[in-house]
Amino acid sequence: MPDMLPLCKWLEQSWVGGGVRESLWLFPAIETVHLLGMAAMVGTATVFDLRLLGWVQRRERVSELAGRLLPWAWAGFVVQVLTGAILFSSEAVKVYGNPAFRVKMLLILLAGVHAAVFHWIVERDVARWDASAILPMKAKVAGGVSILLWIGIVAAGRFIGFV
Ligand code: HEM
């Protein structure tokens, strides 16, 4: 794995990293936006995952629900990546070595792989089960795995300051 420490040092010394670190209110303000992004992302993604599990919105077509909810999930995720990068830049060297941060990044990567697999494999024959209340096992597994991944990411994010 390439050594990222020089990049972390450079980030910390940049005007963004330094500005956030030296301000009393910038870090908590940006973290607030980070958490609003999380609410939009995890909230909407979870409703969709629960639909895949067949626990909520059973009368709604999966494709319609996806069309209404997933743009919010993506928008929330973009907000999180942008605000997360700014928070990171202010404490990059310390956070880079933090085990909870590493677990969080790994789980985000897995969530990305999971979303891609869902899109290409599970969703491929969505036309057949779109309107069913009870979905095939692979859709349920996709929903369950997604919920577990997002719980892990939220928990790892919370642990960063404590380990
Ligand atoms: C590439 C994307 C992301 C980066 C670089 C990032 C980075 C960070 C950083 C640096 C912190 C501050 C850690 C601290 O000093 O306490 C933080 C906090 C946090 N992040 Fe992220 N994050 C990202 C995405 C996410 C996602 C996708 C979630 C959840 C779905 C998330 C949930 C949290 C939570 C819960 C906290 C703790 C807030 C608190 O302690 O009040 N982050 N993140």
Side-chain angles (χ1 to χ4, degrees):
M1 204 173 132
D3 183 14
M4 306 282 278
L5 262 185
L7 176 69
C8 293
K9 284 188 184 143
W10 175 82
L11 271 174
E12 270 197 15
Q13 281 152 16
S14 68
W15 66 271
V16 178
V20 174
R21 193 170 53 253
E22 276 152 35
S23 158
L24 200 61
W25 60 272
L26 268 178
F27 192 98
I30 295 166
E31 199 167 39
T32 302
V33 180
H34 195 60
L35 294 180
L36 290 172
M38 178 176 88
M41 216 249 91
V42 179
T44 49
T46 303
V47 173
F48 182 69
D49 292 335
L50 290 174
R51 171 65 182 99
L52 292 180
L53 281 166
W55 293 356
V56 301
Q57 314 273 56
R58 284 159 160 241
R59 288 198 206 132
E60 193 141 9
R61 282 181 177 275
V62 174
S63 56
E64 274 172 28
L65 202 60
R68 279 197 292 119
L69 293 179
L70 298 188
W72 287 97
W74 277 110
F77 185 67
V78 170
V79 168
Q80 284 198 292
V81 172
L82 293 177
T83 51
I86 298 172
L87 294 175
F88 180 79
S89 71
S90 73
E91 49 178 12
V93 173
K94 186 178 77 185
V95 171
Y96 172 63
N98 184 297
F101 180 75
R102 291 186 169 198
V103 169
K104 176 169 144 175
M105 289 302 119
L106 180 71
L107 291 178
I108 290 176
L109 197 73
L110 287 178
V113 172
H114 176 268
V117 169
F118 176 78
H119 193 68
W120 285 314
I121 298 173
V122 181
E123 223 186 7
R124 215 168 33 192
D125 56 358
V126 70
R128 275 196 286 121
W129 42 265
D130 203 13
S132 325
I134 305 296
L135 302 185
M137 188 47 85
K138 61 182 177 182
K140 288 185 183 174
V141 169
V145 168
S146 172
I147 288 179
L148 291 177
L149 280 170
W150 289 113
I151 290 174
I153 294 165
V154 173
R158 229 12 310 264
F159 268 87
I160 294 172
F162 297 89
V163 293

